[in-house]
Amino acid sequence: MAQSRPWLDEIIDALKDLGGHGTLDDIYARILDRGKMDFTPSWKDGVRGTIYQYSSDSEVYKAGRTDIFYAVSTKGLGRWGIRDFEPDEAHVDITEDDAGFVEGKKKLIQHVVRERNPKVIRLAKQKFKEEHNGQLFCEICKFNFVDFYGEIGEDFIEGHHTIPVSELQEGQKTKVEDIAVVCSNCHRMLHKRRPWLTKEQLQSLISR
């Protein structure tokens, strides 16, 4: 049965709904929720195959084809993102903890977008690994997800924007040097107070 729209377009829209990246299971679930496609018994194979065809991180990618998707974590773990994705206001998830942000909605959205920009986080992680013998661990408490969780923690860490959003100029781009790699707990604690804690301030609390 012919589809009403290409699978490629549907996958891109589903990933945008997910904030720019997600696991294959996330993508499948979002496509089902959207309900815009006709689902054959092998439709998931088609989704997966389409992602592979349009990603240079895949073995089946052919040079010259548009390179749309990238492997967010270690290749083979099934987490994919859209290259150069910039979330707009409709795709920004404002958490309960963000509700007290004093700079207003526009500034808050700018902050969340920068924190969740998968491209700059990916580059920051790569840089950190190059400087630490291929290891990823929290810059604050030194927690290493692989050491604690094993294979499932491979290549996992969060990115924190170290420059307060109130200090950013209109249109200013996030640099890799502005990103700290931190564990989930430390990331949450950095945002616990306003103004937000610096890495050094949180480290001093841990060392007490």
Side-chain angles (χ1 to χ4, degrees):
M1 180 182 296
Q3 294 289 347
S4 57
R5 70 194 308 250
W7 273 112
L8 178 61
D9 292 346
E10 179 63 17
I11 294 166
I12 290 173
D13 285 346
L15 276 169
K16 287 180 178 179
D17 289 348
L18 292 168
H21 57 90
T23 65
L24 284 172
D25 285 342
D26 292 335
I27 296 167
Y28 298 150
R30 185 60 196 138
I31 290 173
L32 279 172
D33 288 343
R34 287 167 56 84
K36 296 180 179 293
M37 308 298 286
D38 294 316
F39 299 103
T40 65
S42 61
W43 71 272
K44 291 183 180 179
D45 294 336
V47 170
R48 187 169 59 251
T50 300
I51 293 172
Y52 293 166
Q53 290 175 37
Y54 289 91
S55 173
S56 60
D57 289 337
S58 166
E59 301 296 333
V60 303
Y61 175 79
K62 295 181 180 179
R65 179 172 284 155
T66 307
D67 190 12
I68 298 174
F69 308 108
Y70 70 94
V72 175
S73 53
T74 304
K75 187 167 68 173
L77 294 183
R79 189 174 187 88
W80 297 91
I82 307 173
R83 296 188 189 278
D84 301 320
F85 175 69
E86 291 285 351
D88 57 27
E89 183 171 334
H91 298 118
V92 173
D93 177 25
I94 307 301
T95 66
E96 181 180 352
D97 187 55
D98 295 321
F101 193 89
V102 298
E103 295 294 333
K105 185 176 181 181
K106 181 179 179 181
K107 284 288 189 178
L108 173 55
I109 289 170
Q110 288 175 348
H111 168 77
V112 177
V113 166
R114 285 180 171 87
E115 290 256 329
R116 299 185 183 176
N117 184 331
K119 181 179 180 182
V120 72
I121 300 300
R122 177 162 50 94
L123 293 174
K125 287 166 60 174
Q126 289 175 355
K127 181 175 183 292
F128 190 89
K129 289 171 70 174
E130 290 169 1
E131 295 173 349
H132 296 89
N133 298 316
Q135 297 293 308
L136 272 179
F137 54 85
C138 178
E139 292 186 42
I140 296 172
C141 72
K142 312 306 178 186
F143 183 86
N144 186 312
F145 283 88
V146 174
D147 289 348
F148 194 85
Y149 292 106
E151 183 180 354
I152 195 173
E154 179 81 26
D155 210 38
F156 183 83
I157 204 76
E158 296 190 8
H160 168 68
H161 197 289
T162 60
I163 300 177
V165 69
S166 59
E167 297 179 10
L168 295 174
Q169 302 298 316
E170 190 72 27
Q172 183 177 342
K173 295 292 185 180
T174 301
K175 299 178 181 178
V176 171
E177 292 75 17
D178 300 331
I179 300 297
V181 295
V182 294
C183 70
S184 309
N185 283 346
C186 286
H187 199 182
R188 190 69 172 176
M189 290 300 100
L190 286 168
H191 289 262
K192 185 65 175 176
R193 295 179 181 172
R194 293 179 176 80
W196 289 315
L197 295 172
T198 65
K199 291 189 300 179
E200 294 73 21
Q201 288 171 329
L202 189 56
Q203 282 173 329
S204 69
L205 294 175
I206 293 173
S207 63
R208 286 181 180 177

